[in-house]
Amino acid sequence: MEGLTISQVAKEANVNIETIRYYERRGLISEPPRTESGYRKFPLEVVEDIKFIKRTQDLGFTLEEIKNLLAASNDEKFRSEEMHDFATSKMKEIEAKIHDLHKMKILLEDLAEKCPGSGISKNECPIIKNFKGVN
């Protein structure tokens, strides 16, 4: 039986062995066949799949989104319309998050200006008071 051991996959993909096991449990990669002695033998393609997973994780995609992206990238019946729709939806989500982060930044800037930085109790702190809804 040809293939890679879990240690070889981990080394080639530059991840921890536990990461591979986690991806298996989450259904991101398939459980590989085992040898007669019980060792798992991963197909060579799993290294590229794990690299794909790591790259998309680094970009901030959720594991469920990654699972769908990976399935689409491995599907012989790939539909570019689905990728376009996904990208468009994700962009809107990112824009909303940027908007919320900008509002948060403005609020914190305002509160930081009102905070003397030292010499007050937590009950007098404008930042804590704001978050507790106290005026």
Side-chain angles (χ1 to χ4, degrees):
M1 175 182 289
E2 285 191 44
L4 303 171
T5 65
I6 194 167
S7 297
Q8 291 170 321
V9 172
K11 183 178 179 184
E12 290 295 318
N14 198 30
V15 296
N16 188 296
I17 289 172
E18 287 305 314
T19 300
I20 297 168
R21 290 183 179 132
Y22 178 72
Y23 290 164
E24 278 184 289
R25 286 192 306 272
R26 293 295 305 260
L28 293 164
I29 59 174
S30 300
E31 186 175 332
R34 293 183 180 265
T35 63
E36 287 182 20
S37 55
Y39 290 102
R40 293 185 279 188
K41 285 295 189 174
F42 290 86
L44 300 175
E45 300 80 32
V46 80
V47 172
E48 291 307 312
D49 286 347
I50 291 172
K51 288 178 179 179
F52 181 98
I53 293 166
K54 292 305 291 178
R55 278 192 301 273
T56 50
Q57 270 186 311
D58 289 345
L59 291 171
F61 290 96
T62 67
L63 289 180
E64 195 59 36
E65 289 169 334
I66 294 169
K67 190 175 186 179
N68 293 335
L69 287 168
L70 194 57
S73 75
N74 291 330
D75 190 350
E76 294 297 323
K77 298 175 187 169
F78 175 80
R79 294 194 38 200
S80 62
E81 300 86 13
E82 290 176 13
M83 283 296 100
H84 180 269
D85 292 347
F86 171 77
T88 303
S89 173
K90 191 66 176 175
M91 286 186 297
K92 288 177 183 173
E93 184 182 312
I94 291 167
E95 287 295 329
K97 191 176 284 189
I98 289 169
H99 177 75
D100 291 345
L101 288 170
H102 183 69
K103 284 180 12 185
M104 182 187 291
K105 179 180 180 272
I106 291 170
L107 173 65
L108 289 173
E109 286 172 343
D110 181 54
L111 292 172
E113 273 184 37
K114 294 176 182 173
C115 181
S118 64
I120 62 171
S121 72
K122 67 179 177 183
N123 293 333
E124 297 172 303
C125 175
I127 297 170
I128 298 295
K129 286 171 67 174
N130 180 279
F131 292 152
K132 286 187 172 185
V134 179
N135 291 326

